[in-house]
Amino acid sequence: MTTTSLLHVADLHKRYGPGCAACAELTGPSQGRSQCPRCGTVYACVAANFSLQTGEVLGIVGESGSGKSTLLQMVNLSIAADQGQIWYHEPGGSAPVDLLRMDAYAARRFRNDRLGIVHQRPELGLNMHFSVGGNVAEKLLLAEWRHVGRIRGRTSELKLQTELPPERIDDEPYTFSGGMLQRVQIAKALASRPSLLLLDEVTSGLDLSVQARVLDLIRRIQWEEQITMLLVSHDLGVIRQLARRTIVMKNGHIIEAGLTDQIMEDPQHPYTQLLVSSAL
Amino acid sequence: MNTTLLEVEDVTKTFILHLIDGRSITPVQAVSFRVAIQDHLLIYGRSGSGKTSILKCIYRSYLASGGQIWFSSECYGRIDLVTANESSVLRLREREMGYCSQFLRVLPRVSALDVICEPLYRQGVAREVAQEQGRQWLSDLGIRPHLWQASPVTFSGGEQQRINLGRAFIAAPRLLLLDEPTASLDGATKEIVVRMIRAAQANGTTVISVSHDLAALGPCANYQLALA
Amino acid sequence: MQQNDDHLYTFGLLDEDAKREIRRSLLKAVAIPGHQVPFASRDLPIARGWGTGGLQITLAIITPEDTLKVIDQGDDAGVNAVNLRRLITQTTGVATTVATSEASLIQTRHRIPEEPLRADQILVLQVPMVDPLRWVEPNLERATVMHGEADYGRMWVYMYESVVRAGDLRIASQYPVMVNGRYMMDTTPIPRWDVPRLDMAEALFLFGAGREKRIYAVPPHTSVVPLQFEDYPFRTEYQAGQRCVRCGAENTFLTSHFVAGPADGGQWVTSCSDTNFCDQRLGAGEVQP
C-alpha cells in the first residue's frame, strides 16, 4: 500500500450459502458460474483486491451477476463482507483503519460523512416522502448540522453545482424526471463533501441524451473537486468516459485490472476480449 | 548533442487472440530507437506494420510483451514505461505525455470549447483560465467561433481531427505522441498542423509521429524511422 | 398476594401476575430511559385509547398508603379523570386528593402539574402515540432498528422540512425529544409547555400506552432535550401578555373557553389548564385583578 492510497481492499469475500468441498473447483470464471451446482452456494465476490488512490476514478465493469454491485455495496458498508479488510486512509489522517472492524454506529457515521453513493434507481437513494431539499439536507443533518440557514446555503450551492432548478428545491421527488433525480442523488451524495463517491449504474436507466449530460456533470464534478470515485457499470462507454483505471469482474472474481484504455484496446483475458469486442 | 528523452529497447508486442482459437500475432518485433529532447521522430511504413502499436506501447494503451521503454520524466526520473505502476503512468499522462489518436472520441453534448479544455480541467486549471487558452487554440486551428459551443460530434471529419490535435497540444506535454496527425485534413489545415508541431518543438516538446504522409510531415521531422 | 373475601376484586383489579409483569417492564424502562418496552396490555373495564396504559401502570404500582390524584388536561373534574379515579379507588380503597403537593401518585392525561414535583412523587402519563418515528417510518420493525442504532436522521429531516415549509417548528404536541442523549421519545401526552419540566426533574415519570402495548420512562435527574435548530430554537406556547382570567397567572399553560355574554354574544377567554394550581392561587389571595 502506497502512502496516497485512499482505499485498499484486501482479500474481500462474500458468499450466500453454506459452501462445500467442491465449491472451489466448480465455481469461478473458468467454470463460467458463480453458483456451486453441488450445494447451491453463490459466490458473489471472491478474494477481491484493489487499491484506490486519492483523486482517482476506478471503474468496475462486468455483466449482470458478476459481483460488481456486491463489491460496491461492501465498500459502502451496506452488505457485510464475510472475510477480508477494507483499509481506509483519510487524506492527511494518521493510520489507515479497517472499515470492516467498525461497530454499526461508527460505520453509519462513516458512511454518512466520508462516503456518498448514487444508485441506479433513485428510490434507493432518496426518500420519496421528503422534498428534494430535505433529501439533500439529510446528509448534513446526519452530520449534525443544526442550523437551518447554513443547511439552506449548502443545499443551494449543491443545486447550482448539479444544475438543478433552484425554484424547485421544495418540490417532491416524484415530480422530477429520471435525469433530474440522478442530479438530486448526486447533490445529496456530495453534500457532506465525502472523500469517496460510489456510483452504481447511475446512467443505466436514462435515455441517451440525458445520459450524456449526467456523465458530463459527474466528470466535471470530478475535475472540480478532485473527488475519488468508484464507478460500477456494465456499459464500457460510460467506463471509458469516466474511469482512468478499470477492474473487470466475472463470476465473482476480478479477472483483469489495468488502465482503462489498455483494458479496452489491449485486453488480456479471453472474457475481457469478448466483452470489448461485443461493445456497440 | 541533446539529452535523450526516450529510449525504446527491443520492444516486442504480441497479441493473443483468444476469440480466434488463441492464435497470436506480433506486429512489433524487437524495435529499438532513441529520441532526444525537442526532436521530432517520424515513424512511417505501410498499414499494419506496427507503427501505431509502438506509439500505444509508449503510452501504455498496449502492454508491451517484451523490452523496455525508458522515459526521462520530471516526476519520477528515468522510468520504464513497460513496468511502471499504473498510477505513475496516469500521473505522467496528466503532466508529461500527450497522445493524439486518429479519431476523436468524446462525450456527446459537450461543447468543442470544453472538449479542447479537458486536459487543462483535469490538471485542475481554473475554468476561466482554461477556457481563455481553449478559445485561442480553437481560433488558431481555424474553427469558426459559432461552432465553439456546439458538440464536435456534429463536426466534419477535418474539424474533429483539428479539435483532437488541439486537445493534445493544449496541455503542452514534454512528449507528444501523434497518430496520423494529417490524415483526413486538406492542404491548408495540414500546414496549420505542421506549424503547430514546429511551435511545440520550439517550446521544448518532443514529438513522435506516426504517418504514411511523408510529403507533409517529412520536412518537419528531424529523424525518420521506417518500419517494414 | 392480597386476597380478601370481602372484596369482589384483588387489590388494584389486575391479578398479581399481570402486575408483576408490568412492574418488570417498568424496571427495564427506568433502567433504559426513553426506550420503549413492550408489555402485555390487559383488557380493562374501559376501552383502549381511554387511558388504559396509564391505568395499568397505576394499578401495578399503587399501594394502600398512596394518595392518588387523577387529572384530565390538568382538570381534576374532567370526565376521564373522574371515571378513572372512581375505578382505582373502588378497587384499592386508597385516599385521593386534588392537591398536587399532597399526592404521592398522579395519573394524568395531557398535562404535568404547574407546581414543581418532588422526589417522592410519581407521575403516570397516558400515552396515545408511542413512537416519534411513526411519521417517518411506518414500519415498526424498521423503526425499532432505527432506535437501536440511534439512527434519527430522518426525524431531523422531518423537523427541517417543518421549518422550511412553515417557517417555524410547527409541531404543536408530539414534540420529539432526546432522552439521556440516546433515545428519541415522543411527548404526545403533554403540550410543548410541559416539555422542559421533564428535563432533570426530581420526580419519576412513567408512560403507558395501552393500545400500543408499550411502556417507557424518564427517571429523575435525566436530561430531556427537545429537537431544535440553532436558528430555530424550541419554543413553548407562551405568548407575551397571556393571562388567566380567573387567577391572573401570567406564566401557566392556558386553555380557552367561550363565554356567552348577554349583549355581544360572548367572547373567548383563557384560564389555567391546571385547575388545582388556579384554585390554590385564588385561595391564597394571589389574584391580581
Side-chain angles (χ1 to χ4, degrees):
Chain A
M1 191 176 9
T2 63
T3 47
T4 50
S5 262
L6 181 78
L7 202 72
H8 179 71
V9 170
D11 195 33
L12 209 58
H13 289 256
K14 180 68 190 178
R15 72 174 193 206
Y16 298 95
C20 70
C23 281
E25 221 172 90
L26 297 176
T27 64
S30 56
Q31 299 298 314
R33 60 175 160 239
S34 45
Q35 184 168 29
C36 175
R38 191 88 39 100
C39 66
T41 300
V42 174
Y43 287 81
C45 183
V46 180
N49 281 288
F50 66 88
S51 288
L52 199 50
Q53 314 295 314
T54 304
E56 181 177 44
V57 182
L58 178 68
I60 304 178
V61 72
E63 60 198 19
S64 302
S66 61
K68 52 193 195 307
S69 283
T70 301
L71 187 53
L72 191 85
Q73 295 294 337
M74 284 195 282
V75 174
N76 191 41
L77 307 177
S78 45
I79 290 182
D82 296 334
Q83 180 187 327
Q85 297 104 46
I86 301 176
W87 293 102
Y88 171 81
H89 194 172
E90 177 76 32
S94 48
V97 287
D98 182 1
L99 301 182
L100 301 181
R101 299 287 169 278
M102 292 195 299
D103 62 54
Y105 190 82
R108 188 158 47 80
R109 181 93 210 200
F110 178 85
R111 192 188 310 148
N112 182 64
D113 290 356
R114 303 321 312 142
L115 300 179
I117 187 161
V118 182
H119 298 272
Q120 175 179 357
R121 285 165 51 219
E123 313 90 88
L124 291 176
L126 301 175
N127 188 323
M128 293 297 173
H129 302 291
F130 291 139
S131 70
V132 161
N135 268 291
V136 177
E138 185 174 7
K139 275 211 125 192
L140 302 171
L141 289 161
L142 281 169
E144 283 177 19
W145 286 44
R146 294 290 180 262
H147 192 286
V148 174
R150 278 200 283 276
I151 295 171
R152 283 293 260 194
R154 175 75 182 131
T155 48
S156 315
E157 242 173 65
L158 288 159
K159 271 193 187 114
L160 214 62
Q161 194 177 15
T162 52
E163 292 159 6
L164 282 166
E167 71 280 4
R168 296 191 58 192
I169 181 168
D170 295 323
D171 290 1
E172 309 274 334
Y174 63 80
T175 64
F176 279 62
S177 66
M180 281 294 175
L181 285 175
Q182 292 310 69
R183 287 169 196 272
V184 176
Q185 277 208 82
I186 293 167
K188 178 178 180 176
L190 292 173
S192 60
R193 300 183 197 280
S195 37
L196 177 59
L197 189 63
L198 307 171
L199 305 166
D200 192 2
E201 301 275 14
V202 281
T203 56
S204 300
L206 304 174
D207 61 66
L208 283 174
S209 63
V210 179
Q211 193 173 28
R213 294 185 58 181
V214 171
L215 288 180
D216 182 42
L217 172 70
I218 294 170
R219 222 169 44 147
R220 220 148 31 69
I221 287 167
Q222 209 279 324
W223 295 334
E224 282 163 12
E225 312 254 317
Q226 295 289 308
I227 187 171
T228 314
M229 293 185 184
L230 193 57
L231 163 83
V232 159
S233 182
H234 66 269
D235 185 339
L236 292 173
V238 170
I239 295 280
R240 186 197 286 275
Q241 289 298 339
L242 291 178
R244 296 200 295 171
R245 280 202 306 130
T246 296
I247 283 173
V248 184
M249 286 190 81
K250 183 177 188 330
N251 300 126
H253 292 251
I254 294 176
I255 53 164
E256 187 165 354
L259 299 173
T260 302
D261 53 333
Q262 179 252 299
I263 296 279
M264 305 282 175
E265 295 177 29
D266 186 15
Q268 308 290 306
H269 193 279
Y271 173 73
T272 318
Q273 292 188 357
L274 177 69
L275 199 68
V276 170
S277 67
S278 312
L280 294 175
Chain B
M1 188 66 196
N2 285 330
T3 39
T4 304
L5 183 74
L6 191 79
E7 274 177 271
V8 175
E9 289 176 3
D10 263 342
V11 164
T12 299
K13 175 60 194 171
T14 301
F15 292 97
I16 299 165
L17 307 177
H18 292 285
L19 301 183
I20 314 169
D21 54 46
R23 79 178 59 161
S24 66
I25 51 168
T26 304
V28 180
Q29 183 86 56
V31 169
S32 301
F33 60 84
R34 292 174 169 228
V35 187
I37 285 172
Q38 280 185 303
D39 269 357
H40 175 187
L41 173 71
L42 172 65
I43 303 175
Y44 67 96
R46 60 177 172 77
S47 196
S49 59
K51 312 183 292 281
T52 300
S53 295
I54 293 179
L55 225 51
K56 289 192 171 176
C57 282
I58 297 172
Y59 198 60
R60 247 301 256 291
S61 292
Y62 288 174
L63 293 169
S65 315
Q68 289 100 47
I69 301 172
W70 293 103
F71 178 63
S72 304
S73 74
E74 277 179 350
C75 296
Y76 304 102
R78 197 162 180 267
I79 185 170
D80 180 8
L81 296 175
V82 175
T83 55
N85 70 41
E86 284 160 6
S87 44
S88 306
V89 174
L90 285 173
R91 184 158 175 85
L92 288 176
R93 284 181 178 188
E94 200 173 88
R95 303 279 157 187
E96 302 191 36
M97 275 198 301
Y99 178 83
C100 178
S101 62
Q102 280 187 62
F103 307 102
L104 181 67
R105 191 165 209 151
V106 292
L107 210 54
R109 303 189 66 168
V110 176
S111 74
L113 184 59
D114 278 336
V115 166
I116 207 164
C117 289
E118 213 180 285
L120 298 177
Y121 294 157
R122 253 185 226 284
Q123 287 180 2
V125 175
R127 223 175 158 68
E128 276 316 303
V129 179
Q131 293 196 346
E132 189 56 46
Q133 280 191 53
R135 278 188 282 268
Q136 187 60 49
W137 275 97
L138 285 172
S139 85
D140 288 352
L141 286 164
I143 308 285
R144 286 157 297 160
H146 73 273
L147 289 176
W148 293 359
Q149 288 307 321
S151 164
V153 176
T154 63
F155 289 10
S156 72
E159 283 166 335
Q160 288 197 11
Q161 184 57 8
R162 277 180 269 166
I163 298 283
N164 203 12
L165 283 162
R167 235 149 74 102
F169 280 89
I170 197 167
R174 295 179 66 230
L175 176 63
L176 189 53
L177 308 168
L178 303 174
D179 193 357
E180 299 285 4
T182 55
S184 74
L185 295 182
D186 57 45
T189 319
K190 279 184 191 176
E191 275 301 303
I192 297 175
V193 173
V194 169
R195 270 210 308 275
M196 276 164 58
I197 293 176
R198 286 220 165 99
Q201 263 183 290
N203 283 325
T205 296
T206 307
V207 181
I208 300 176
S209 56
V210 152
S211 181
H212 53 257
D213 190 1
L214 274 174
L217 290 172
C220 75
N222 308 52
Y223 301 96
Q224 296 181 4
L225 177 69
L227 291 182
Chain C
M1 199 190 257
Q2 192 174 348
Q3 194 75 43
N4 193 328
D5 291 339
D6 297 332
H7 289 87
L8 208 50
Y9 306 102
T10 52
F11 178 79
L13 185 69
L14 295 173
D15 64 272
E16 291 302 319
D17 288 337
K19 287 197 263 182
R20 196 171 294 133
E21 190 256 347
I22 292 167
R23 286 195 291 258
R24 240 183 258 130
S25 299
L26 282 168
L27 272 180
K28 185 171 177 183
V30 170
I32 315 171
H35 172 59
Q36 300 159 29
V37 184
F39 82 109
S41 184
R42 265 74 180 176
D43 278 330
L44 288 170
I46 59 167
R48 295 232 165 112
W50 293 83
T52 54
L55 183 62
Q56 286 178 81
I57 293 181
T58 300
L59 293 174
I61 63 172
I62 198 164
T63 65
E65 294 75 39
D66 271 316
T67 307
L68 177 74
K69 173 181 164 78
V70 182
I71 48 174
D72 174 4
Q73 296 274 22
D75 190 347
D76 294 273
V79 177
N80 188 258
V82 169
N83 283 316
L84 291 180
R85 187 187 299 113
R86 195 180 294 151
L87 179 67
I88 299 167
T89 50
Q90 282 186 359
T91 56
T92 61
V94 299
T96 62
T97 178
V98 292
T100 301
S101 58
E102 287 168 17
S104 60
L105 185 62
I106 304 170
Q107 175 161 344
T108 168
R109 170 174 169 256
H110 289 339
R111 279 305 312 276
I112 295 174
E114 299 285 353
E115 198 174 324
L117 298 175
R118 299 184 311 268
D120 60 343
Q121 292 177 305
I122 297 175
L123 195 76
V124 176
L125 290 115
Q126 303 163 204
V127 178
M129 294 278 285
V130 173
D131 200 332
L133 299 180
R134 185 65 46 86
W135 299 105
V136 293
E137 180 51 77
N139 182 312
L140 206 68
E141 272 183 353
R142 264 179 286 180
T144 308
V145 172
M146 285 164 76
H147 278 296
E149 296 183 352
D151 180 8
Y152 296 132
R154 245 183 281 173
M155 194 64 207
W156 278 103
V157 178
Y158 183 76
M159 301 292 285
Y160 173 79
E161 295 219 308
S162 95
V163 172
V164 167
R165 293 238 160 98
D168 202 344
L169 297 171
R170 289 269 175 237
I171 301 174
S173 61
Q174 311 197 315
Y175 201 94
V177 293
M178 287 301 291
V179 179
N180 205 24
R182 175 59 182 84
Y183 283 98
M184 188 175 287
M185 186 181 90
D186 206 322
T187 57
T188 33
I190 53 173
R192 275 176 293 155
W193 177 268
D194 288 336
V195 169
R197 287 160 197 270
L198 292 170
D199 184 41
M200 289 302 185
E202 292 290 324
L204 170 64
F205 299 97
L206 302 175
F207 300 77
R211 191 175 43 197
E212 299 204 26
K213 305 183 179 65
R214 291 288 187 280
I215 280 172
Y216 54 100
V218 175
H221 306 286
T222 302
S223 80
V224 174
V225 182
L227 267 61
Q228 58 187 334
F229 293 101
E230 287 159 32
D231 45 349
Y232 290 90
F234 168 81
R235 280 202 302 230
T236 65
E237 294 88 343
Y238 178 78
Q239 287 176 334
Q242 69 167 44
R243 197 162 188 278
C244 168
V245 289
R246 284 183 75 223
C247 71
E250 289 169 341
N251 201 17
T252 59
F253 185 71
L254 302 175
T255 53
S256 40
H257 326 259
F258 189 78
V259 180
D264 54 0
Q267 58 174 336
W268 286 95
V269 294
T270 51
S271 64
C272 290
S273 140
D274 185 343
T275 51
N276 172 248
F277 185 76
C278 200
D279 291 345
Q280 278 184 345
R281 278 173 55 85
L282 282 169
E286 284 180 39
V287 184
Q288 295 144 5

